[in-house]
């Protein structure tokens, strides 16, 4: 493959302005991430110390193989929810290596309300198990939770993708032969008791671990029976009487050692044979990404410059370079893995939509994973383009992408608006992993467009009603709409709601994709197949 010839001028004023802007965004992201990971009230840290417990991130660190990467997912989930009371949605999730095996780690965070599950905690856990199902990844649960946050019970329990989905997904994993291990460091109460019970293996810590459908207060209220924690659901009872738990451990350290020994007995899945080449770092400095991304979401930039700082050797075989120029398509390698890249260089026209659909078909034929780099305002609108069938051509691209058999990975590099989000494999289209950058914005349309649209609707309403045009009222509608949109468009709002799998520093994107692609190869490729293309 040829090396991309960068046209970047790092000494230019525009590059320097972009660089300063994006480094500031990344510093803000790092500060928020650090606070979500580590900033806790001292009383909660003291409580865990008195109980002889490690902090949840210490548990994860001791579980993982030394010196191996850990790709944490959704570290800023719930950052704009619950008044900030549930950092990281009270749950740590990520992909790591344990005893030489790729696994999903899901850990409760007892430093937040005793590990109680908020609605977004459940959404994050369900997503973790969806990833395990999609990629055939074993799961290790680090359990220490007070159960559901009862004040929000109506958002926790009854619907299809609420708490019951965790246990449904656990059951599906077992049916598929994908292994699960639970390490019970604290209480597993009510529905949470089913996490170790539905795991293939579990280890419980004596003195602090407990598993019960109803804890002592509930048992007392429901039956009048007065019973202590250990007798009701402690380690000795469950490992010698009930058989709910398999291995007792005297300490958390011992529980982790036993857990690592268990994982070491698991077979290693055979990955499907994705094309690979020797690994090469990019020829251009990934930190130059900060100078490429504009300081204004509306300003265009060349996605080839992004590709050149993510892929191996900055080498890229571009497909149909002179056709459908607003969509860049081509083949590259990331950490040696062959991938097909689709990247936006503007709005999607008829030709770029058809080019994208054809390229996706080629990648499916050739068993090549797809990487979508989104910076999209949508599909082109207007009379001329509707007459030429833009809706039909956009539907072809959506059909090809939605029915792809190969793993898909999406990076939100800048804007993601309208149906362009769909064609470029947005959240609804089952990318194995979807990441965002701190500058990312997502919505049906941009804030200015939404404000202009609603202001025009208000103006037309006044005219229809025979009212005099009240410019102050129109300005009020415009301002309120734009303000609300700007907050909801932000990367922090998106990741708070788990519309992505986490914000990344742009320079970490190559590494995150490498871990994600490797994990995806555990799941076998289905046979190819498509729906109906409208010609």
């Amino acid at each position: 493959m040829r090396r991309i010839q960068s046209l970047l001028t790092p000494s230019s004023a525009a590059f320097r302005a972009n660089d300063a802007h994006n480094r500031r965004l990344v510093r803000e992201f790092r500060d928020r991430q650090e606070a979500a990971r580590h900033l806790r009230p001292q009383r909660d840290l003291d409580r865990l110390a008195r109980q002889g417990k490690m902090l949840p991130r210490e548990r994860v660190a001791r579980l993982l193989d030394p010196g191996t990467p850990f790709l944490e997912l959704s570290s800023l989930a719930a950052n704009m929810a619950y008044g900030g009371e549930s950092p990281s949605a009270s749950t740590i999730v990520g992909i790591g290596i344990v005893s030489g095996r790729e696994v999903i780690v899901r850990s409760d965070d007892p430093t937040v309300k005793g590990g109680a599950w908020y609605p977004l905690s459940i959404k994050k856990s369900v997503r973790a198990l969806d990833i395990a199902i999609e990629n055939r990844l074993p799961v290790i649960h680090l359990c220490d939770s007070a159960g559901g946050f009862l004040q929000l019970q109506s958002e926790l329990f009854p619907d299809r993708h609420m708490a019951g989905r965790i246990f449904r997904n656990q059951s599906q994993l077992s049916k598929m032969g994908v292994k699960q291990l639970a390490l019970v460091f604290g209480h597993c109460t009510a529905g949470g008791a089913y996490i170790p019970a539905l795991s293939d293996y579990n280890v419980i810590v004596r003195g602090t671990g407990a598993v019960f459908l109803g804890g002592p207060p509930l048992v007392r209220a429901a039956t009048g029976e007065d019973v202590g924690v250990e007798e009701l659901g402690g380690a000795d009872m469950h490992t010698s009487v009930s058989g709910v738990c398999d291995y007792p451990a005297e300490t958390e350290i011992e529980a982790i050692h036993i857990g690592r020994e268990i994982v070491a007995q698991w077979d290693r899945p055979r990955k499907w044979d994705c094309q690979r080449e020797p690994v090469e770092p990019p020829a251009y400095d990934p930190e130059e990404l900060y100078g490429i991304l504009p300081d204004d979401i509306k300003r265009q930039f060349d996605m080839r410059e992004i590709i050149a700082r993510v892929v191996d050797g900055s080498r890229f075989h571009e497909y149909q370079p002179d056709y459908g120029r607003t969509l860049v398509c081509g083949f590259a390698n990331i950490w040696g893995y062959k991938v097909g890249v689709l990247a936006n260089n503007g709005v999607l026209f008829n030709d770029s939509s058809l080019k994208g659909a054809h390229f996706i078909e080629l990648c499916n034929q050739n068993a090549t994973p797809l990487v979508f780099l989104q910076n999209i305002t949508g599909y082109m609108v207007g009379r001329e383009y509707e007459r030429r069938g833009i809706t039909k051509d956009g539907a072809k691209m959506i059909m090809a992408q939605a029915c792809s058999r190969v793993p898909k990975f999406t990076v939100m590099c800048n804007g993601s608006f309208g149906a362009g989000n769909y064609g470029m494999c947005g959240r609804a289209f089952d990318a194995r992993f979807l990441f965002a950058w701190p500058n990312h914005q997502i919505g049906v349309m941009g804030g200015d467009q939404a404000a202009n649209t609603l202001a025009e609707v208000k103006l037309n309403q006044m005219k229809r009603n025979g009212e005099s045009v009240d410019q102050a009222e129109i300005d009020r509608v415009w301002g309120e709409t734009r303000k609300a949109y700007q907050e909801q468009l932000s990367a922090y709002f998106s990741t708070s709601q788990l519309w992505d799998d986490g914000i990344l520093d742009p320079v970490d994107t190559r590494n995150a994709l490498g871990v994600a692609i490797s994990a995806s190869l555990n799941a076998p490729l289905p046979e190819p197949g498509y729906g109906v293309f409208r010609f």
Side-chain angles (χ1 to χ4, degrees):
M1 296 184 194
R2 297 177 185 175
R3 179 173 295 168
I4 293 173
Q5 295 303 306
S6 176
L7 302 178
L8 205 62
T9 309
S11 60
S12 69
F15 181 95
R16 292 198 301 271
N18 290 344
D19 185 81
H21 171 77
N22 286 297
R23 287 183 186 275
R24 179 182 61 77
L25 292 183
V26 168
R27 283 195 300 272
E28 179 188 357
F29 160 60
R30 293 292 189 192
D31 289 345
R32 289 186 183 223
Q33 190 178 60
E34 185 72 9
R37 285 173 170 171
H38 302 295
L39 191 61
R40 300 290 186 274
Q42 189 60 45
R43 66 178 182 277
D44 292 319
L45 303 179
D46 293 341
R47 172 174 51 81
L48 291 190
R50 285 195 306 272
Q51 295 171 344
K53 292 182 175 181
M54 290 187 284
L55 295 174
R57 291 184 182 277
E58 291 179 297
R59 293 168 176 167
V60 173
R62 286 183 175 270
L63 176 68
L64 298 171
D65 290 359
T68 58
F70 180 64
L71 176 59
E72 184 173 357
L73 304 175
S74 300
S75 62
L76 291 178
N79 78 91
M80 294 179 69
Y82 319 124
E85 287 185 354
S86 180
S88 294
S90 311
T91 313
I92 302 164
V93 168
I95 300 174
I97 309 295
V98 176
S99 298
R101 279 81 173 165
E102 287 175 316
V103 300
I104 284 274
V105 177
R106 190 208 63 83
S107 175
D108 297 316
D109 186 347
T111 67
V112 182
K113 304 283 187 185
W117 293 348
Y118 285 75
L120 287 171
S121 313
I122 289 169
K123 187 175 182 180
K124 186 171 176 178
S125 292
V126 170
R127 173 61 185 150
L129 295 174
D130 283 342
I131 290 170
I133 289 170
E134 291 165 355
N135 299 285
R136 304 297 196 271
L137 286 175
V139 182
I140 301 178
H141 305 272
L142 308 186
C143 303
D144 193 348
S145 172
F149 189 64
L150 294 180
Q151 291 92 322
L152 299 174
Q153 68 86 25
S154 66
E155 301 174 51
L156 301 173
F157 175 68
D159 209 352
R160 181 180 181 187
H161 290 283
M162 292 183 180
R165 195 72 174 185
I166 296 174
F167 316 127
R168 176 267 183 194
N169 279 0
Q170 283 192 269
S171 302
Q172 292 298 310
L173 284 167
S174 185
K175 173 183 171 182
M176 293 160 57
V178 180
K179 298 172 181 63
Q180 295 176 80
L181 163 68
L183 303 181
V184 181
F185 296 115
H187 287 191
C188 294
T189 307
Y194 289 113
I195 287 184
L198 287 168
S199 295
D200 304 290
Y201 308 82
N202 64 56
V203 183
I204 183 169
V205 178
R206 203 174 260 122
T208 57
V211 178
F212 28 55
L213 294 180
L218 180 60
V219 169
R220 193 176 304 114
T223 70
E225 183 181 7
D226 196 358
V227 62
V229 168
E230 289 301 311
E231 183 184 0
L232 183 64
D236 289 330
M237 192 282 289
H238 276 315
T239 56
S240 64
V241 178
S242 74
V244 168
C245 297
D246 303 321
Y247 304 87
E250 294 298 327
T251 65
E252 294 193 0
I253 296 287
E254 184 184 3
I256 290 170
H257 284 324
I258 294 171
R260 287 180 52 81
E261 288 178 2
I262 291 168
V263 175
Q265 313 311 310
W266 295 349
D267 59 337
R268 298 176 187 271
R270 181 176 297 174
K271 301 190 178 200
W272 62 270
D273 191 20
C274 177
Q275 291 186 59
R276 293 199 69 179
E277 300 291 340
V279 177
E280 249 187 296
Y284 300 105
D285 185 355
E287 293 218 358
E288 290 177 343
L289 289 168
Y290 300 139
I292 298 167
L293 296 169
D295 56 9
D296 182 346
I297 194 80
K298 299 174 188 174
R299 284 221 325 269
Q300 194 59 44
F301 59 93
D302 188 352
M303 268 290 190
R304 295 174 186 83
E305 300 287 3
I306 301 293
I307 296 168
R309 288 152 183 86
V310 173
V311 303
D312 288 14
S314 303
R315 302 182 192 282
F316 185 59
H317 174 80
E318 188 167 349
Y319 174 71
Q320 290 190 326
D322 296 326
Y323 178 72
R325 289 171 178 258
T326 60
L327 184 65
V328 177
C329 300
F331 297 102
N333 294 79
I334 296 176
W335 280 99
Y337 298 110
K338 176 78 166 293
V339 296
V341 179
L342 294 93
N344 301 119
N345 255 9
V347 67
L348 288 164
F349 291 94
N350 298 74
D351 54 0
S352 44
S353 302
L354 293 171
K355 172 181 170 178
H358 192 177
F359 182 71
I360 289 168
E361 289 182 305
L362 294 177
C363 290
N364 275 269
Q365 182 190 62
N366 203 39
T368 302
L370 291 161
V371 175
F372 295 84
L373 303 179
Q374 281 208 20
N375 178 33
I376 181 63
T377 55
Y379 290 92
M380 191 60 192
V381 298
R383 182 174 59 181
E384 175 190 350
Y385 299 100
E386 294 295 353
R387 290 176 66 85
R388 288 165 56 184
I390 185 62
T391 304
K392 185 169 66 174
D393 292 339
K396 291 187 182 77
M397 182 176 173
I398 289 171
M399 179 70 76
Q401 183 267 109
C403 297
S404 289
R405 69 182 183 126
V406 295
K408 300 178 290 188
F409 308 88
T410 304
V411 182
M412 302 297 204
C413 297
N414 202 43
S416 178
F417 298 106
N421 168 275
Y422 301 160
M424 290 295 293
C425 197
R427 191 59 149 178
F429 289 84
D430 297 326
R432 297 292 182 91
F433 297 89
L434 186 151
F435 301 109
W437 288 352
N439 57 308
H440 164 57
Q441 292 184 15
I442 184 170
V444 173
M445 60 183 72
D448 288 348
Q449 292 93 324
N452 291 339
T453 300
L454 289 184
E456 185 174 346
V457 168
K458 186 67 177 177
L459 175 63
N460 291 337
Q461 184 184 56
M462 289 176 178
K463 290 178 178 177
R464 278 198 312 273
N465 295 337
E467 303 172 14
S468 59
V469 173
D470 184 345
Q471 189 60 44
E473 176 65 9
I474 293 172
D475 291 344
R476 182 191 65 79
V477 170
W478 192 95
E480 288 181 357
T481 302
R482 188 180 189 280
K483 181 180 178 182
Y485 254 75
Q486 288 306 115
E487 178 178 297
Q488 294 176 15
L489 290 172
S490 80
Y492 293 109
F493 187 89
S494 174
T495 206
S496 180
Q497 296 296 315
L498 285 124
W499 297 345
D500 54 51
D501 293 313
I503 297 176
L504 296 175
D505 181 336
V507 302
D508 292 335
T509 303
R510 170 180 160 79
N511 290 341
L513 287 174
V515 172
I517 294 167
S518 175
S520 77
L521 302 181
N522 292 301
L525 278 181
E527 291 299 312
Y530 287 102
V532 174
F533 287 87
R534 184 176 293 276
F535 294 101

